[in-house]
Amino acid sequence: MQFSKSTDYALHALVHLGNSERCNNVGIKELAGALGVSESYLSKIMSKLRQDGIVRAVTGVNGGYELARSADQITFLDVIQVIEGRQQLYECSNTSSRQHQFLAEEAAVQPDQKRLNENVCLIEKVMYGAEQQLYQYLRGHTIQSVLDEAFKRWTHKEDKK
Amino acid sequence: MQFSKSTDYALHALVHLGNSERCNNVGIKELAGALGVSESYLSKIMSKLRQDGIVRAVTGVNGGYELARSADQITFLDVIQVIEGRQQLYECSNTSSRQHQFLAEEAAVQPDQKRLNENVCLIEKVMYGAEQQLYQYLRGHTIQSVLDEAFKRWTHKEDKK
DNA sequence: TCTATCATGGACATCAAAGGTCTATAATGA
DNA sequence: TCATTATAGACCTTTGATGTCCATGATAGA
Ligand code: SF4
Ligand code: SF4
């Protein structure tokens, strides 16, 4: 139960892109250099981010990557879901066990009445709630917010000089 | 980024224990039967729960498991942390990259002034916040709350007969 | 005391996913 | 045309989850 390194790399790469957006097209070489990871692997990740419309890429001379939308439109949740996938945080197995009969079965009697979403057991409901709680938080933080903080510190440091 | 099946099994097992606590000592055979999983594997999980003081176990004839404390003292977070471990949801690698210099380094200048906890970068801070958010929610739900809901449904079903 | 019952721990085996490398291909500007 | 750059796929290694099996030890009851 941990975020993958790929997610780590993706977040760092996006921050880098957001920071050097003045011009555009940051090459994989510069990107990999700044993060200290291999170009090979990072390109895989960038490719994924492109397919999901987080970044744009142009091939050829002077090509590279840039953010596909402004940094404050890219949430942590966006990035994480692209890399980690969109499966549920918890998916229950053994829905045919006696346990399940006891905790969740009830919907089987009236299959037409309202969707059976309401009839899941509490275990599932709690785990689903946890997921929503997490997602809500991650939706509230963007790449831009990281940049803002970094910039604030930077100027603060300059002031002290 | 998903909870393991072991966590699934552990939660279900604890609900079962909480439900048949009237007497005590539920054997691994009954437990595995109710959940529909192998005794071999489940016993591994139960052993872990015992080592962390969630359940008690007695060997020998008529032995088995029982909850080590009342069901409302066992939170979802307790269970998850026993099974999934207690590592951080996010641990950043490459703290020697240029990225890191830009985002987080600042503490190096005054290593004696206040602990450097406050000096982590925003990426880390956001991810840590997400973890706390998740944990807070999971702390608020216990095995007992699942039992309560199941019991409520049960009586409601009886009423309708 | 003997025995059937029960949990425990360790040694495996299996398998899927993460993490990572390499290369051929296609696009593009100079 | 040519050097540059991203892309997609094949491939490899390592790690962790999942699962089985067995030898050991504890215990209650006969
Ligand atoms: S979590 Fe609830 S719904 Fe899912 S298998 Fe277990 S009892 Fe059934
Ligand atoms: S997340 Fe922040 S503190 Fe961690 S390595 Fe990246 S820049 Fe440094």
Side-chain angles (χ1 to χ4, degrees):
Chain A
M1 184 54 180
Q2 250 200 177
F3 289 110
S4 64
K5 287 197 179 186
S6 296
T7 296
D8 182 298
Y9 297 160
L11 286 172
H12 283 77
L14 290 174
V15 167
H16 188 92
L17 288 187
N19 197 46
S20 32
E21 202 181 13
R22 37 186 180 278
C23 56
N24 61 353
N25 288 357
V26 178
I28 191 69
K29 196 165 290 190
E30 176 184 339
L31 213 45
L35 305 198
V37 304
S38 94
E39 304 177 22
S40 270
Y41 193 41
L42 186 57
S43 69
K44 283 279 176 55
I45 296 170
M46 295 310 295
S47 192
K48 235 183 209 174
L49 289 173
R50 184 188 60 84
Q51 287 168 357
D52 273 64
I54 308 285
V55 303
R56 264 192 299 269
V58 325
T59 58
V61 180
N62 282 98
Y65 302 94
E66 63 177 341
L67 297 185
R69 31 188 160 117
S70 77
D72 62 354
Q73 293 299 309
I74 303 178
T75 71
F76 273 63
L77 183 61
D78 291 334
V79 181
I80 287 170
Q81 287 201 315
V82 168
I83 305 297
E84 307 275 342
R86 288 179 171 76
Q87 358 81 16
Q88 305 245 105
L89 207 56
Y90 174 82
E91 293 172 24
C92 52
S93 48
N94 285 93
T95 50
S96 56
S97 65
R98 290 210 300 277
Q99 264 285 283
H100 180 77
Q101 308 293 321
F102 171 65
L103 286 175
E105 284 302 328
E106 197 101 345
V109 217
Q110 64 274 47
D112 50 291
Q113 212 165 335
K114 59 168 85 168
R115 305 313 306 149
L116 48 149
N117 297 341
E118 196 45 55
N119 237 316
V120 296
C121 83
L122 245 217
I123 294 183
E124 212 183 3
K125 215 184 285 183
V126 169
M127 299 303 265
Y128 181 74
E131 179 176 313
Q132 292 306 313
Q133 194 76 6
L134 182 65
Y135 286 0
Q136 189 59 39
Y137 180 91
L138 291 173
R139 245 191 300 270
H141 293 80
T142 67
I143 299 298
Q144 185 64 50
S145 58
V146 176
L147 294 175
D148 288 344
E149 176 85 358
F151 185 68
K152 205 166 65 188
R153 282 193 193 180
W154 194 256
T155 56
H156 184 251
K157 187 177 170 184
E158 290 295 309
D159 284 352
K160 281 199 298 191
K161 273 190 189 168
Chain B
M1 184 55 180
Q2 252 201 175
F3 288 111
S4 64
K5 288 197 179 188
S6 295
T7 296
D8 182 299
Y9 298 161
L11 287 172
H12 282 78
L14 289 174
V15 168
H16 188 92
L17 287 188
N19 196 48
S20 32
E21 202 181 14
R22 38 187 178 277
C23 55
N24 62 353
N25 288 357
V26 178
I28 191 69
K29 197 165 289 190
E30 175 184 339
L31 213 46
L35 306 196
V37 303
S38 92
E39 304 176 23
S40 271
Y41 193 41
L42 187 57
S43 71
K44 282 282 172 53
I45 297 170
M46 296 309 294
S47 192
K48 234 183 208 172
L49 290 174
R50 183 188 60 84
Q51 285 169 357
D52 272 65
I54 308 285
V55 303
R56 264 192 299 267
V58 325
T59 58
V61 181
N62 283 97
Y65 302 95
E66 63 176 342
L67 297 184
R69 31 189 160 117
S70 77
D72 61 355
Q73 293 299 309
I74 303 177
T75 71
F76 272 65
L77 183 61
D78 291 333
V79 181
I80 288 170
Q81 287 201 315
V82 168
I83 305 297
E84 307 274 342
R86 288 180 171 76
Q87 359 80 15
Q88 306 245 106
L89 207 54
Y90 174 82
E91 293 172 25
C92 51
S93 48
N94 285 92
T95 49
S96 55
S97 65
R98 292 211 299 277
Q99 264 285 283
H100 181 77
Q101 307 295 320
F102 171 66
L103 286 174
E105 284 302 328
E106 198 102 347
V109 216
Q110 65 273 47
D112 50 291
Q113 210 164 336
K114 58 168 85 169
R115 304 314 304 151
L116 48 150
N117 297 339
E118 196 47 53
N119 236 318
V120 297
C121 83
L122 245 217
I123 293 183
E124 212 183 3
K125 215 185 282 182
V126 169
M127 299 303 265
Y128 182 73
E131 178 176 313
Q132 291 307 312
Q133 194 76 7
L134 181 65
Y135 286 0
Q136 190 57 39
Y137 181 90
L138 291 172
R139 246 191 299 270
H141 292 80
T142 66
I143 299 297
Q144 185 64 50
S145 57
V146 176
L147 294 174
D148 288 344
E149 176 85 358
F151 185 67
K152 205 166 62 185
R153 283 194 192 180
W154 193 256
T155 54
H156 183 251
K157 186 177 170 186
E158 291 294 311
D159 285 351
K160 283 200 298 190
K161 276 190 188 171

